[in-house]
Amino acid sequence: MNAIEHPLRKKFSRRARVATGGAVLTAVALSAVGAVSANASAPATTSATAASASVPARATTTATHLTIDAATKAAQAALHAAEKENQRVTVAVVDRNGNTLVTLRGDGAGPQSYESAERKAFTAAAWNAPTSQLTERLHQAPNLKDIPGTLFLAGAVPVTAEKAPIAGIGVAGAPSGTLDEKFAQAGAEAVGR
């Protein structure tokens, strides 16, 4: 040690000096980060009109979607058709992108039926075909079943507008895909009424 020491230095132990030094370094670092953050969030000097751009109509598309009322009507019609035949099913209606619009799980429907109905509905919408037809395509292209979110089992039909798919209705839980698809078709027909 030096013969001449600062008077405050004698009062702090080595541990206290390290802790104090660490706190000072942390404070300096935080203030530097705060300054950088403040600069990053500072408003740009450009005008507000430069922040957005108007695009011509030819650069956009318009999509047709099933309303929530129509999707609910379809799901209820499919579930009602199944209940009339004492079948315990789940009905799912998804949009063209596979986003679930409505899911109705009937009393006593199995736990696996929920996801199966959604995946069947998406598969029908994605390929614009009933899933019973799509299962036949697996013989020629077995890798189709590996596409995420799809389920190539009978039980779903697409909903179209001007021949383009806008939604899919999937049913799962009946003892056969033929019955599931029959109920899904009842739901699709209800949309048109």
Side-chain angles (χ1 to χ4, degrees):
M1 274 200 227
N2 291 338
I4 303 174
E5 290 192 34
H6 192 277
L8 290 177
R9 198 172 222 180
K10 285 185 177 182
K11 293 182 182 177
F12 290 114
S13 68
R14 178 174 168 85
R15 181 180 291 167
R17 286 192 311 258
V18 169
T20 303
V24 169
L25 286 175
T26 301
V28 169
L30 287 176
S31 66
V33 169
V36 169
S37 295
N39 287 338
S41 64
T45 57
T46 61
S47 68
T49 57
S52 66
S54 181
V55 296
R58 69 181 183 278
T60 63
T61 63
T62 302
T64 302
H65 296 274
L66 203 58
T67 65
I68 192 67
D69 289 339
T72 302
K73 182 178 181 180
Q76 288 173 334
L79 187 60
H80 182 68
E83 289 171 343
K84 283 183 6 185
E85 295 190 29
N86 295 318
Q87 298 301 316
R88 297 179 175 118
V89 301
T90 297
V91 179
V93 181
V94 302
D95 68 12
R96 176 71 171 95
N97 299 321
N99 300 310
T100 303
L101 299 171
V102 176
T103 303
L104 297 177
R105 184 174 177 268
D107 294 335
Q112 77 287 354
S113 65
Y114 192 92
E115 183 179 353
S116 296
E118 287 182 329
R119 290 176 59 194
K120 286 180 184 183
F122 171 65
T123 305
W127 273 273
N128 194 22
T131 51
S132 60
Q133 291 177 11
L134 296 171
T135 58
E136 296 168 10
R137 293 185 195 177
L138 286 179
H139 299 298
Q140 295 138 11
N143 291 346
L144 284 177
K145 69 181 178 339
D146 298 332
I147 297 172
T150 60
L151 185 60
F152 288 87
L153 295 175
V157 297
V159 176
T160 60
E162 299 179 17
K163 299 183 183 180
I166 60 167
I169 301 173
V171 178
S176 74
T178 303
L179 281 173
D180 284 341
E181 200 159 300
K182 175 183 172 183
F183 305 142
Q185 185 62 43
E189 289 169 1
V191 174
R193 288 187 227 139

